[in-house]
Amino acid sequence: GGVEMTYLRAGDEYPENNRFKIVRHLGRGAYGDVYEAKDTINDYTVALKVLAPLNATNSSEQLAKWAGREVATLEALSSPHVLRHLSHSPDIGEYNAETVGVARWIATELLRGQSLDEFIAQNGPFRASDVLNIMGQICDGLAAAHDCKPESIVHRDLKPANIFVENHQSPF
C-alpha cells in the first residue's frame, strides 16, 4: 500500500504560503498525491506532487532521500522527451527535527494526454514505422538520462504506463 494522505480539493490553497491553488486530483502514488494546480507566483498550471508528511519513522527518512534524488534527477535532465522540473519545496531531501511535518512538494510541467498503454488500448496495434518512431523518442529520452552529469541515470521502471503521449502530438 501507499502512504496515508488527505486529499486536497479543488480550490484549496497549498502549502501555507498559498503558492498553489488546487484544480483537481490526478492520482496517487507510493509517496503521495499528484494534483493539477495553478502556480500563483509564476502564473502557470503545473503537476504538483504533494509528498506524504515526514514523521519519526525509517520510511520518512527514505521518503526524504527519495525526494532529494527525484529533484536532483529532474533538474539534471534536459530533453524534449523527459518531464520538465519547475520547482520544489525547500529542504526537499532533508530529514531532521526541523523538517518533520513540513510540507514537501515537487512541481513539474503538466502534460495533457494519456499513457502509452492507454493510447494503445484505444488505438490498437501500430504499424512497424510508427513503432520505430515511438521507440526513437523513448531512446532519445533514455539517452538524455544516461548522459547526465555528474552521474548517469538508469530508469528502473520503463513500461507503457510510464510513457506519456501528449494530446497535441502524434506519438509518431
Side-chain angles (χ1 to χ4, degrees):
V3 295
E4 290 299 317
M5 291 204 48
T6 303
Y7 281 103
L8 297 170
R9 291 180 169 70
D12 285 353
E13 293 177 338
Y14 178 87
E16 294 77 21
N17 66 1
N18 298 332
R19 175 170 180 173
F20 299 100
K21 187 166 186 165
I22 302 301
V23 175
R24 65 188 173 108
H25 185 257
L26 297 175
R28 174 169 284 182
Y31 295 114
D33 287 297
V34 180
Y35 299 89
E36 178 179 341
K38 177 78 170 183
D39 183 330
T40 60
I41 292 174
N42 297 306
D43 195 34
Y44 48 69
T45 303
V46 301
L48 181 67
K49 185 181 292 187
V50 177
L51 304 178
L54 299 182
N55 53 41
T57 68
N58 287 339
S59 61
S60 287
E61 186 170 2
Q62 291 170 344
L63 172 60
K65 286 179 182 177
W66 170 85
R69 283 191 309 270
E70 174 95 348
V71 165
T73 298
L74 288 170
E75 287 180 327
L77 285 170
S78 178
S79 167
H81 304 291
V82 177
L83 186 68
R84 193 165 50 99
H85 170 265
L86 301 173
S87 59
H88 60 271
S89 56
D91 302 323
I92 187 83
E94 299 293 320
Y95 177 73
N96 55 49
E98 288 80 38
T99 61
V100 169
V102 171
R104 291 171 188 261
W105 51 268
I106 301 169
T108 64
E109 68 180 312
L110 177 67
L111 301 176
R112 306 255 186 215
Q114 61 192 143
S115 66
L116 183 57
D117 61 347
E118 293 168 335
F119 188 89
I120 291 169
Q122 287 181 6
N123 297 287
F126 292 120
R127 296 179 313 218
S129 60
D130 296 336
V131 171
L132 290 174
N133 189 311
I134 293 168
M135 290 305 298
Q137 293 179 55
I138 293 168
C139 289
D140 288 347
L142 289 172
H146 293 182
D147 291 342
C148 267
K149 303 293 183 228
E151 202 172 314
S152 180
I153 298 165
V154 176
H155 195 299
R156 293 190 172 116
D157 196 19
L158 186 62
K159 59 188 177 187
N162 290 340
I163 297 168
F164 205 80
V165 179
E166 291 186 271
N167 282 343
H168 67 277
Q169 295 179 318
S170 166
F172 21 83

